[in-house]
Amino acid sequence: MSVWDALVGQKRVSAQLKAVAEGDPKAIAQSWLICGSPGAGRSNVARAFAAALESPDRGASDEPTRITQEVLAGTHPDVKVLKTDRVTIGIDEVRDLIETSEQTPSISPWRIIIIEDVDRMLERTTNVLLKEIEEPSAHAIWLLCAPSAQDVLPTIRSRTRVVNLAVPRTSDVADYLVSAYEVEPALASRAARLSQGHIGVAKLYAGVSNDVQAGDGDDETDGGRSGHVVGTPTKKRNPSGVTTGRKVKGKGRGKAVLGRDQDPLRVLHDRDDLVVGVLSLGRASDAVLLAERLIDSAKSQAQSDIERDVARQEHDFRQANGLDDDERIPPQLRSAYNSIGKKDDVKRRVTRRSRDVLDRSINTMASIYRDVSVIQNDAEDAAGLINLENRDAITDLASRLTREGAVQRMDAIATARRRLNGNGNQLLDFEALLCALIV
C-alpha cells in the first residue's frame, strides 16, 4: 500500500501531490499551505507528501521503504514536525525551525519542515516565519497546515501554494475503521456518522483512540499526538468495542491500539447524554446545570489527559537515559527532567485540551440543529440525519421551531465557538449558549 492509499477520502489531493512528487524537482513549490476541516487529515497528508518527496520510490511502492517508514514515524533526520498541545505556537519554536531549515539535508534531497497548526501562531510569530516562507533555502520545503486559508495572514497565504482537502465521506471513514482497525461494521458506521467527517473523533467513538483534540491538529491518531499513518490492530475488536491487542511493529505499517482500555460505548453514551440534555432544555436552570457539567467534565478530562502525558514523557526520559522508575535523577539531567512537568507549561496544555473537549461538545450541539434544518426542509433523503438515534425528539423540535429560530440557534453556537477561542469565562459562555437554545 502506497502512502497515498493510506489517506482517507482524499483521492483528488493524493493524485495532485503524487504528480508533484514524481515530477521535476526543480519545478516543486517550496512553500505549501494544506487546508482542511479538523480531522480531515491535514498532518497525515503533509507527512505522506514529505515521504513521497524524500523516498526514492516517491512513496508509490506497496512495500514502504525505510525512508518512508522513518518519515511517517517522525524519526527521519531531514523531516522536522512542529505540533503543539498548547494554546499557541511560541516564537522561539519557529526561530529554531528556521535555523533547521537553513541546514543542508543530511541523507535526503530535501530539508522538510511541517507545521501542523500554523493558525495557532500569533501575528508576531507569523511575521518571523514570513521571510523564510517567501525566500526559503535552496533545499528546504515548508508544509504548513491550517483549517482554511483564511485562518492565516494574507501575507502567508499569498506566498504559499494552497491545497484544499475534502471532508471525508461517512462511508470512507467507516471503511477506514473496518479495514485499518477491524472495528465491527455497525459500530464503524455509527462512529463515522456521528464524527461528521472527523477521523480522530470517529476513532474515539470506535474505541481505537484514547482522546482527541477536536479543534486543530487532525487528531486522526492518538489524540493528534503521533500523527502516524497507521494500520491494523493485532486483535479483532469484540462486539463491545474494547480492544485487547498491544501496539507492535508490523510489516510495512504500525499496528495501533488503545493506550488504555476504553469502552467506546461509554464515550458514545456521554455524547447521547449531551444530545438528550440539549433536546430537553426547558428552563434556564436546566441550561445552567448542563453548562456546569460540561465545563467540569472538560476540565477533569483535560487534567487527566495531560497528567498521563507528563507521566509517559517522564517514563520515556528515564528509559532513554537508562534510569529505573524509582531511581534518583542525576544532577546533570535534573533540569531537563523537571522541564517535562513544568507547572506553567502543564497549565497551558490543560487549557488547550479542555478547549478541544468543549469544541467537540459544540460540534455535537451544532449537529442537532443541522438535523432540525434537514427535517424542516424535507431533505432527509438527500442529506440524511447525524443523530438518527434521536430522530423522534429532533422531529418534534423541528415542528416547534421556525426556520429562522433554527438558524438563530446555529448562530448562537457559532458565537460560542468564537468565545471559546478567547480568554473569557467558559462557564458563562456555555450558560449563555444553552439559554439561547431553550425553546
Side-chain angles (χ1 to χ4, degrees):
M1 178 180 290
S2 74
V3 293
W4 310 113
D5 294 331
L7 301 178
V8 181
Q10 304 298 338
K11 291 183 178 179
R12 179 188 60 81
V13 168
S14 295
Q16 176 188 355
L17 297 181
K18 181 175 183 290
V20 172
E22 295 176 354
D24 184 0
K26 296 180 181 179
I28 295 176
Q30 291 183 256
S31 300
W32 296 74
L33 180 60
I34 300 173
C35 302
S37 60
R42 300 189 302 262
S43 65
N44 280 356
V45 168
R47 289 173 184 268
F49 189 29
L53 291 171
E54 300 286 41
S55 180
D57 71 341
R58 299 295 176 249
S61 300
D62 289 338
E63 185 69 23
T65 64
R66 178 181 56 82
I67 291 178
T68 294
Q69 293 177 1
E70 289 177 351
V71 173
L72 298 181
T75 59
H76 193 282
D78 292 328
V79 179
K80 178 72 173 179
V81 181
L82 174 61
K83 52 189 175 184
T84 183
D85 53 7
R86 302 177 182 86
V87 177
T88 59
I89 293 176
I91 192 169
D92 290 336
E93 293 175 292
V94 173
R95 284 174 174 157
D96 289 342
L97 284 182
I98 291 174
E99 183 178 343
T100 299
S101 73
E102 293 173 349
Q103 299 171 3
T104 302
S106 56
I107 60 174
S108 295
W110 300 99
R111 176 75 68 175
I112 299 178
I113 310 295
I114 300 173
I115 303 181
E116 291 191 356
D117 302 297
V118 71
D119 55 303
R120 289 190 176 271
M121 287 185 187
L122 299 177
E123 185 173 353
R124 176 169 172 250
T125 306
T126 305
N127 288 333
V128 171
L129 177 65
L130 179 61
K131 187 176 186 300
E132 195 67 25
I133 293 296
E134 187 175 14
E135 299 177 2
S137 301
H139 296 284
I141 290 182
W142 291 82
L143 305 179
L144 313 180
C145 303
S148 72
Q150 286 66 42
D151 289 314
V152 300
L153 291 179
T155 47
I156 293 288
R157 244 181 2 244
S158 63
R159 289 163 173 80
T160 55
R161 181 170 173 179
V162 179
V163 176
N164 290 306
L165 307 188
V167 176
R169 296 180 300 177
T170 298
S171 59
D172 290 334
V173 177
D175 290 344
Y176 167 70
L177 293 175
V178 172
S179 62
Y181 297 97
E182 298 186 7
V183 175
E184 294 294 334
L187 177 59
S189 178
R190 187 185 181 203
R193 168 167 51 82
L194 296 179
S195 73
Q196 304 176 65
H198 192 304
I199 301 170
V201 172
K203 290 177 60 181
L204 179 67
Y205 290 155
V208 294
S209 178
N210 290 342
D211 46 53
V212 62
Q213 299 172 328
D216 43 280
D218 315 313
D219 323 314
E220 293 89 349
T221 51
D222 303 325
R225 287 188 294 274
S226 69
H228 302 348
V229 178
V230 292
T232 57
T234 59
K235 294 188 180 180
K236 188 171 183 177
R237 192 165 318 286
N238 62 33
S240 70
V242 181
T243 185
T244 56
R246 298 298 305 165
K247 189 169 185 177
V248 298
K249 292 183 178 180
K251 188 176 181 179
R253 300 174 74 196
K255 299 193 176 187
V257 298
L258 284 171
R260 68 179 189 275
D261 290 337
Q262 178 175 348
D263 188 348
L265 300 182
R266 171 66 183 275
V267 179
L268 291 173
H269 178 71
D270 291 343
R271 184 191 187 280
D272 290 342
D273 280 351
L274 175 57
V275 173
V276 171
V278 172
L279 291 172
S280 303
L281 289 173
R283 298 174 298 179
S285 58
D286 297 333
V288 170
L289 291 173
L290 182 55
E292 184 178 12
R293 289 201 301 270
L294 284 174
I295 299 300
D296 289 346
S297 176
K299 289 181 178 179
S300 175
Q301 180 179 328
Q303 187 70 42
S304 175
D305 288 346
I306 298 305
E307 287 176 356
R308 187 171 56 252
D309 288 348
V310 170
R312 187 187 66 249
Q313 290 167 7
E314 290 176 344
H315 173 75
D316 291 345
F317 181 93
R318 287 177 172 275
Q319 195 171 47
N321 289 279
L323 300 173
D324 294 332
D325 289 341
D326 57 352
E327 191 173 349
R328 288 177 60 87
I329 303 296
Q332 63 269 28
L333 298 177
R334 200 165 294 158
S335 176
Y337 180 79
N338 290 338
S339 67
I340 295 174
K342 197 173 180 180
K343 185 175 180 180
D344 290 343
D345 182 60
V346 168
K347 184 178 179 179
R348 286 192 291 269
R349 293 168 66 185
V350 169
T351 299
R352 159 73 185 275
R353 188 67 61 88
S354 65
R355 287 184 184 178
D356 292 333
V357 174
L358 290 172
D359 187 77
R360 191 165 71 242
S361 297
I362 288 178
N363 287 340
T364 297
M365 293 185 226
S367 73
I368 297 172
Y369 295 93
R370 178 264 185 197
D371 286 349
V372 166
S373 296
V374 167
I375 291 174
Q376 287 179 335
N377 291 280
D378 296 323
E380 186 175 351
D381 290 340
L385 296 182
I386 293 171
N387 300 286
L388 275 175
E389 297 78 10
N390 306 93
R391 188 184 187 284
D392 290 344
I394 290 175
T395 300
D396 177 66
L397 178 60
S399 67
R400 292 185 288 122
L401 272 179
T402 63
R403 286 181 171 83
E404 181 181 4
V407 172
Q408 287 173 347
R409 282 157 178 78
M410 286 189 279
D411 287 342
I413 291 171
T415 298
R417 194 189 301 276
R418 289 194 296 272
R419 289 173 175 171
L420 179 63
N421 292 325
N423 294 318
N425 187 304
Q426 293 178 343
L427 180 59
L428 292 179
D429 291 342
F430 271 75
E431 288 176 350
L433 167 59
L434 292 169
C435 284
L437 301 182
I438 296 173
V439 179

